[in-house]
Amino acid sequence: MNWLKNLKSGLQSLLHKQQVDRELDEELASYLEASIADKQRSGMSPEAAHRAAHAEIGSRNSIKHQVWSSRWESTLDNLATDIRLSIRALSKSPGFTLVALLSLTLGIGANTAIFTLLNAILLRPLPVQNPQQLILFGQGGAIGSTDNLNNESWQLFSYPFYREFRTKSQSFSGIAALSSIQFGSHGSVSGGRPEQMRIDIVSGNYFSVFGVVPALGRTLAEADEGAPGSGPVAVISYAWWRRRFGGDPAVLGKTVRIEAHNYTIVGVAQPGFFGATVGHPADLWIPLSMEKEISPGWHGLEDRNFHSLFLIARLKPGETAEQASINTNLLFRQILRSDYAGSYPIQGESTGIQQAHIELTSAARGLSGLRRMFSLPLKILMTIVALVLLLACANIANMLLARGVTRAREVAVRMALGASRARIIVQLLTESALLALIGAAFGIALAWNSSALLLHLATPGETPVPIDLTPDLPVLAFTLLLTVLTALLFGVAPALRATRLELTPTLKEGRGSAPTSTRNTLARSLIVGQIALSLLLLTAAGLFLRSLLRLTSVDTGFDRNNVLVFGLDESAANLPVDNRLTLLQQQIEDRVQSLPGVQSASFSMFTFNEGQWSDDIIVQGIPRSPENSQDVLYNVVGSGFFKTFGLPLLAGRNFSAQDTVKSPVVAIINQNMARHFFPNQSAIGHHFGFGEDPVHSGDIEIIGVVKDAKYVALGEAPEMAAYFPYSQRIQYFSNFTVRYTGDPRPVIAAIRQSIAQINPNILVSTVSTLSEEVDRSIATQKLIAQLSAFFGALAVFLACIGIYGLLSYSVLRRTNEIGIRLALGAQSRALLWMILRESVVLLALGLAAGIPIALASTGILRNLLYQLSPGDPSTFAASVVIVTAMTLLAAWLPARRATKVDPMIALRCD
């Protein structure tokens, strides 16, 4: 264990300064006491003795300072010398330097880029006062109704519940509410042109709970949260104020017109505050009292069963999260018992209320759908790039070990001339540190330019996700720590080994007789580790790629080709939510369907991958029970929706003009719902209703059955779904879909023109295709598959470079031996096998270690794979074949070159 002794010696030399410094301080203290005592014995007063003694100590301290200044200057001189020598040594080996820098740039850059995303999405706290005191009710779950008592952990809450709970709770200094429905609307400032705005609807105490102070004017107050429609005021974000108004202080008092209502700007939020939702920075905040006006047709403020609010609270000083959780759930169940008394006359009601609870979680990092989406993928990608960097370090360490053999004479000469071993180790470590620093600099530049690209690949769309990816202090600290660890990982062992030699034999040895680096146990272990890790990464990449291929081949149930999806802002038409709005929608559909190249057109509440809305239904004639009470997805569509989406009608009829608000309520259901509730019989003519809907309770008639489809994700389990005609459920829509033929560009232009002719106030915000929407739904899987494939290939490439470099140095060192063997009649085939044999052994050991590691590790990928086992035999077999082929190729190239050596030239090698 000589290397441990050497490491201990090196650390002792680094601590020598502190030890000497302490000894000098102790000596000066002893001298001070003795000097004072001597002067007092000579007749001096105590005060005079102290002054005289301290004067002498001052001169000694000056000498001490001069000594350490001299040592510091010497250290700086040595460091400058080491840097110059390192630059010279690296410039003499351009091939090694280029490969090492490329490996480090990719490794450190990839780690920094992924960590930048991870930090921005998962780790960065909200820019508010004491964010660690913020508590979220629930886990920021999916938007939708949570009024089913069987849903044990509640995520969303009604406005009446919020008001009652806020009044009675004693654990929090404040509780704020935020609408879970994120609004992107067109509005105009003081009569100007319409523009896109992101709006958050919040409670009046929202800013006070977060501890956000205004940069200008005031924030919202509880007085703004009065009766519905009583708070037409708005607070704007600092970023929007600077971007839209140029930081003009006269912004206060200006009006913003949104959905036919004017809002007076009363304040600007503090710099940096973007709201509670990461990835959805708000431009404006308006009070909850304006919810009906900002979302016409939605009347949830007085409905205890309309659960649409996130609740965020601030703990009282001295209150723990555990105490708050106990008190919160006691009060929660009390309110539930009063709310649902008699509403659920089914067995198990009391058990459902007893099991229902609120899980309190930290809101320090805000709400984020992106966090739920990217948490596991980013952690997996972070692990992958960390392993790639580890492979790069192993590769560079192996090359340094091989270079150490060729530099043995240089090291021996320097030691013979009086250089200490510690001094040479420091110089070799300086080379490693210089490589790591240059690689880190290139890596940061790579990460700076690639983080935004990664985010765009993960969340494709016309508008990039607004997340600040500027490297901050945590990112820079991470990169610095990574650089130091990287330099130590690949630099320490080669430096210690390069200086562990016998001077006399080394100075007398020729190149051909020096021991080869392939016989170094550490070098062989590094190669085995590289093969094992590259097999692991390649297997993971293969699993992701095969899973992606299976996802892309899923039958969506609809025809996604040749379908345009328009994002409309109908609310800008300023029409009331009544028959006039329906007539406008029908007029747009009829006009567009008459255009050349258009086959069909329809409005819809949802298209694909836009979230979902579900509710609990019961079927008429079947007693209410847990089996009969099921959540069903629902959509509100036009009569042309099924033709536009290519969803065939399997039974019954389509919606028609006779389905109005005055006619019986009708619906079309999918096959899965028909099979579940009406097995072995026709569903046509049956009725169902929403369990808590006082208007539509069991009076919805089923008039048709359509083919099953995917609604939110390609990998989702079969869902029950019901479609309703928009003529009976009047509301604004943001989706307008069109099936077309031919070139889409003239069709898009004609549709825009037609909508503008019908009503110039209706704005077309986005245009995409249904195929793009489907592709966007698997963007995360694509990103993981693409990056893992790239880094898996890079891992195999690095392992091959390691083997190639190791054998190249081996062949170079054994040139004399090879020449002798050739001169004595050795066959090329035997010589080739002699050189390849050790590589085959290393490959076998690497595969033997890598296969069990891969089998044990890929289990964590189960949730990211679609209909594929983490231990898929074909993927493992393909990975083994690829690693074997690439490794043997990397070993064969230098081995083949060795068999072509001219014996006469080889024998002259010294």
Side-chain angles (χ1 to χ4, degrees), residues 139-153:
Q139 298 176 324
I143 297 173
S145 175
T146 58
D147 59 350
N148 187 354
L149 291 181
N150 294 324
N151 184 356
E152 296 180 8
S153 181

Side-chain angles (χ1 to χ4, degrees), residues 519-851:
R519 294 168 188 166
N520 181 355
T521 303
L522 177 59
R524 288 183 292 179
S525 300
L526 289 174
I527 291 294
V528 170
Q530 283 182 283
I531 293 172
L533 287 181
S534 61
L535 177 66
L536 167 62
L537 293 178
L538 199 61
T539 302
L543 290 172
F544 286 131
L545 286 172
R546 292 201 64 203
S547 176
L548 179 63
L549 288 175
R550 293 195 175 195
L551 266 179
T552 54
S553 61
V554 164
D555 179 15
T556 60
F558 53 82
D559 182 5
R560 64 182 185 178
N561 298 314
N562 290 13
V563 178
L564 295 170
V565 180
F566 291 83
L568 302 185
D569 187 2
E570 283 190 300
S571 59
N574 298 332
L575 288 177
V577 184
D578 56 24
N579 288 335
R580 285 169 288 183
L581 178 59
T582 303
L583 289 174
L584 173 67
Q585 292 163 345
Q586 291 174 346
Q587 186 180 2
I588 292 175
E589 286 180 346
D590 294 340
R591 176 74 66 86
V592 170
Q593 285 179 159
S594 66
L595 295 175
V598 173
Q599 294 180 327
S600 60
S602 173
F603 283 96
S604 64
M605 186 176 181
F606 297 114
T607 56
F608 176 78
N609 190 36
E610 292 188 326
Q612 62 186 19
W613 198 275
S614 64
D615 210 339
D616 178 34
I617 71 159
I618 56 172
V619 176
Q620 195 177 75
I622 302 178
R624 183 176 176 83
S625 67
E627 292 76 20
N628 184 26
S629 175
Q630 296 286 334
D631 269 0
V632 171
L633 304 181
Y634 71 80
N635 200 352
V636 182
V637 302
S639 59
F641 177 81
F642 302 109
K643 182 178 180 181
T644 303
F645 262 64
L647 278 173
L649 189 68
L650 304 178
R653 68 172 178 88
N654 194 359
F655 301 129
S656 65
Q658 69 189 35
D659 300 316
T660 65
V661 290
K662 295 181 180 180
S663 64
V665 182
V666 296
I668 295 175
I669 65 174
N670 70 346
Q671 289 174 284
N672 193 37
M673 183 174 170
R675 282 192 298 265
H676 180 84
F677 288 109
F678 313 104
N680 304 319
Q681 60 177 309
S682 173
I684 307 302
H686 285 272
H687 290 72
F688 70 93
F690 296 105
E692 298 304 315
D693 189 343
V695 178
H696 305 293
S697 181
D699 64 347
I700 304 173
E701 180 184 355
I702 300 173
I703 63 170
V705 177
V706 295
K707 182 181 177 181
D708 288 335
K710 300 294 184 180
Y711 304 101
V712 179
L714 292 178
E716 70 186 13
E719 297 274 7
M720 291 186 287
Y723 302 87
F724 302 92
Y726 68 65
S727 56
Q728 292 186 332
R729 292 177 177 261
I730 303 173
Q731 64 185 73
Y732 285 108
F733 294 102
S734 60
N735 292 309
F736 183 61
T737 53
V738 177
R739 178 166 291 279
Y740 69 95
T741 58
D743 186 356
R745 288 174 294 183
V747 174
I748 293 173
I751 292 173
R752 285 181 179 272
Q753 184 178 6
S754 297
I755 294 175
Q757 289 173 352
I758 294 172
N759 192 317
N761 293 323
I762 297 179
L763 301 173
V764 179
S765 56
T766 60
V767 181
S768 62
T769 66
L770 186 57
S771 182
E772 289 172 348
E773 298 294 327
V774 173
D775 290 340
R776 192 171 295 128
S777 71
I778 55 174
T780 303
Q781 291 88 335
K782 280 187 176 180
L783 177 69
I784 296 176
Q786 291 169 351
L787 290 183
S788 61
F790 171 75
F791 288 121
L794 178 62
V796 175
F797 177 69
L798 289 174
C800 291
I801 287 180
I803 293 174
Y804 177 82
L806 189 68
L807 287 184
S808 294
Y809 275 112
S810 173
V811 169
L812 180 66
R813 299 294 301 167
R814 300 173 68 179
T815 301
N816 189 265
E817 173 193 346
I818 292 170
I820 293 174
R821 289 179 179 272
L822 288 172
L824 293 176
Q827 297 295 318
S828 297
R829 182 177 301 176
L831 195 60
L832 184 67
W833 171 244
M834 178 192 74
I835 298 172
L836 283 177
R837 182 170 49 205
E838 188 167 8
S839 298
V840 173
V841 172
L842 295 179
L843 173 63
L845 291 175
L847 293 178
I851 291 175

Side-chain angles (χ1 to χ4, degrees), residues 405-406 409 505-506 508-517 519 809-821 905-910:
V405 175
T406 63
R409 278 188 175 184
T506 302
K508 294 187 340 184
E509 280 177 348
R511 185 178 66 180
S513 58
T516 68
S517 61
R519 294 168 188 166
Y809 275 112
S810 173
V811 169
L812 180 66
R813 299 294 301 167
R814 300 173 68 179
T815 301
N816 189 265
E817 173 193 346
I818 292 170
I820 293 174
R821 289 179 179 272
I905 297 176
L907 289 172
R908 288 200 295 268
C909 287
D910 184 19

Side-chain angles (χ1 to χ4, degrees), residues 366-403:
L367 302 170
S368 179
L370 293 176
R371 185 176 301 130
R372 294 191 299 273
M373 184 187 304
F374 291 111
S375 178
L376 182 59
L378 281 177
K379 291 174 183 176
I380 289 176
L381 286 176
M382 196 74 218
T383 303
I384 289 175
V385 295
L387 290 176
V388 169
L389 181 60
L390 185 62
L391 279 168
C393 291
N395 200 40
I396 298 172
N398 237 334
M399 290 189 289
L400 286 174
L401 286 171
R403 286 184 78 231

Side-chain angles (χ1 to χ4, degrees), residues 308-323:
S308 63
L309 300 180
F310 288 120
L311 301 187
I312 299 175
R314 183 175 288 275
L315 286 171
K316 279 185 176 179
E319 185 85 2
T320 65
E322 291 76 15
Q323 294 170 338

Side-chain angles (χ1 to χ4, degrees), residues 100-265:
L101 287 180
L102 181 61
S103 302
L104 289 172
T105 298
L106 291 173
I108 295 177
N111 276 269
T112 303
I114 299 296
F115 182 78
T116 300
L117 273 179
L118 189 144
N119 176 61
I121 295 175
L122 303 181
L123 305 179
R124 186 179 294 162
L126 291 175
V128 299
Q129 180 182 1
N130 298 324
Q132 69 278 1
Q133 295 178 352
L134 296 177
I135 297 294
L136 173 67
F137 285 32
Q139 298 176 324
I143 297 173
S145 175
T146 58
D147 59 350
N148 187 354
L149 291 181
N150 294 324
N151 184 356
E152 296 180 8
S153 181
W154 285 42
Q155 312 293 331
L156 300 175
F157 305 87
S158 68
Y159 184 74
F161 172 87
Y162 158 67
R163 293 296 296 249
E164 182 176 355
F165 193 93
R166 187 178 69 175
T167 302
K168 296 180 178 179
S169 177
Q170 302 296 320
S171 298
F172 307 102
S173 59
I175 304 175
L178 165 68
S179 175
S180 62
I181 304 167
Q182 299 171 343
F183 293 94
S185 180
H186 284 86
S188 59
V189 178
S190 298
R193 294 174 59 85
E195 56 189 275
Q196 187 75 17
M197 300 174 184
R198 290 186 293 267
I199 303 165
D200 275 355
I201 305 179
V202 300
S203 59
N205 64 344
Y206 176 82
F207 291 95
S208 61
V209 168
F210 277 91
V212 174
V213 298
L216 194 66
R218 69 173 179 89
T219 58
L220 297 180
E222 293 197 36
D224 299 317
E225 190 190 330
S230 63
V233 295
V235 173
I236 65 175
S237 71
Y238 187 89
W240 196 58
W241 176 53
R242 298 288 298 180
R243 184 175 67 250
R244 175 62 180 77
F245 300 96
D248 183 7
V251 69
L252 299 181
K254 290 188 176 182
T255 59
V256 179
R257 188 171 181 81
I258 307 169
E259 314 290 1
H261 288 271
N262 290 325
Y263 295 80
T264 303
I265 298 176

